[in-house]
Amino acid sequence: MTKSARSGPYICGIDAALDVVSGKWKGLILWELDNYGVRRFAELRRGLPGVSEKMLTQHLREMEQDGLVHREVYAEVPPRVEYSLTEHGRSLNAALGPLGAWGMDRLVRERTELVEHRDADLLPRPS
Amino acid sequence: MTKSARSGPYICGIDAALDVVSGKWKGLILWELDNYGVRRFAELRRGLPGVSEKMLTQHLREMEQDGLVHREVYAEVPPRVEYSLTEHGRSLNAALGPLGAWGMDRLVRERTELVEHRDADLLPRPS
DNA sequence: TGGGGTACTTACCAAAAGGTGAGTGAGGAG
DNA sequence: CTCCTCACTCACCTTTTGGTAAGTACCCCA
């Protein structure tokens, strides 16, 4: 009961998936954890320029609740906490692959169009 | 200039893509338009139970700006406006496919776990 | 003794997102 | 004559989201 979805009900799978990745930094957290495998709190913070500590912990807790990340606490001093992706989290990242590619494509296209516009503005139309 | 991205800059493609689909109803709008091909405003409203007219127009305008949907206005009375996906929008939907599948999987798993929990609660442990 | 690092939590605030209810203006149904 | 439909727009409000700054408790380094 404590682990059920935070919102819903969902109409389709997209709904359910978007709910889990929506959050200013979640995409980047996923990407960072997938890239490095294991990361400590401060490493993540440094890897996400501009994130506040509050949001980082909040997002990590939610993703833990959602079964995406694993949190390992070592009872040392100074404290050490390591975050990594669960199997479920890794499968989410795989499912996000095509979307990421689409986004990259879009970014490239945007820049291309801007360049074209600049050229069109600079060059007088051939008469 | 008027058509550049609404936010950014983006760190990776996921970022850019999520920006375009984040919005309470955008996933459903995409799904509805992909399903039916062409939909009128009122049809979309009826297809998205609970959406407010304000949010529906707002989301449609943003998606139009982002080059995902095409808006065709017929100068008739009563007014008629038809929405459909652009090529870009259809490619986004394709890229969302795996994510949607992941989400469905997650929903099914969730229900399965609930059922397992219920069973575990109902059945006394074999001693 | 003072500063930095570890991984947080808490209170307070600002901005963004989203909902509500009204109004538009013409046509068609009752 | 009144209400409903179409596709919106607008003003106002609430909810959600995210940021800021401080505090915690202990350690290491100079």
Side-chain angles (χ1 to χ4, degrees):
Chain A
M1 207 66 90
T2 53
K3 314 196 83 166
S4 64
R6 289 193 308 283
S7 61
Y10 302 115
I11 298 180
C12 66
I14 300 280
D15 243 36
L18 283 182
D19 186 39
V20 141
V21 289
S22 67
K24 194 168 179 184
W25 307 95
K26 289 195 183 171
L28 280 315
I29 293 176
L30 241 19
W31 186 81
E32 187 89 358
L33 286 181
D34 202 52
N35 244 23
Y36 292 93
V38 175
R39 294 248 98 180
R40 299 182 55 172
F41 184 85
E43 289 175 330
L44 282 172
R45 173 157 43 88
R46 283 188 289 262
L48 282 68
V51 75
S52 62
E53 298 192 339
K54 175 193 151 194
M55 285 318 298
L56 186 52
T57 47
Q58 200 173 108
H59 279 168
L60 284 169
R61 291 293 136 82
E62 289 174 5
M63 293 168 80
E64 196 190 352
Q65 269 208 352
D66 288 336
L68 304 176
V69 319
H70 172 71
R71 180 165 178 266
E72 187 82 36
V73 185
Y74 297 87
E76 300 174 359
V77 87
R80 182 157 63 103
V81 180
E82 289 186 344
Y83 294 92
S84 54
L85 289 183
T86 61
E87 194 50 52
H88 200 46
R90 253 169 278 136
S91 72
L92 170 58
N93 237 328
L96 280 172
L99 191 64
W102 184 91
M104 274 308 302
D105 213 65
R106 183 178 155 79
L107 288 181
V108 170
R109 178 169 347 193
E110 208 165 72
R111 200 162 44 196
T112 307
E113 280 167 12
L114 286 180
V115 170
E116 280 167 4
H117 286 164
R118 195 198 56 198
D119 290 352
D121 288 349
L122 288 180
L123 298 172
R125 290 193 298 141
S127 55
Chain B
M1 207 67 91
T2 53
K3 314 196 82 162
S4 65
R6 289 191 309 284
S7 62
Y10 301 114
I11 298 180
C12 68
I14 299 281
D15 242 36
L18 283 182
D19 186 40
V20 142
V21 290
S22 66
K24 195 168 177 183
W25 307 96
K26 288 194 182 170
L28 281 315
I29 293 177
L30 241 19
W31 186 81
E32 188 90 358
L33 287 181
D34 202 53
N35 243 23
Y36 292 93
V38 175
R39 294 248 98 180
R40 300 181 55 172
F41 184 84
E43 288 175 331
L44 282 173
R45 176 157 41 88
R46 282 189 291 263
L48 281 68
V51 74
S52 63
E53 298 192 340
K54 176 193 153 195
M55 285 318 296
L56 185 52
T57 48
Q58 199 174 108
H59 279 168
L60 285 170
R61 291 293 136 82
E62 290 174 3
M63 293 167 82
E64 196 190 352
Q65 269 207 354
D66 287 335
L68 304 176
V69 319
H70 173 71
R71 179 165 177 266
E72 187 82 35
V73 183
Y74 297 88
E76 300 174 359
V77 85
R80 183 157 63 103
V81 181
E82 290 186 346
Y83 294 91
S84 55
L85 289 184
T86 63
E87 195 50 52
H88 199 48
R90 252 168 279 136
S91 73
L92 170 58
N93 237 327
L96 280 172
L99 191 64
W102 185 90
M104 274 307 303
D105 214 64
R106 184 177 153 79
L107 287 180
V108 170
R109 178 169 347 192
E110 208 164 71
R111 199 162 45 199
T112 307
E113 279 167 13
L114 286 180
V115 169
E116 278 168 4
H117 286 163
R118 196 197 55 199
D119 289 353
D121 287 350
L122 288 179
L123 298 172
R125 291 193 297 141
S127 55

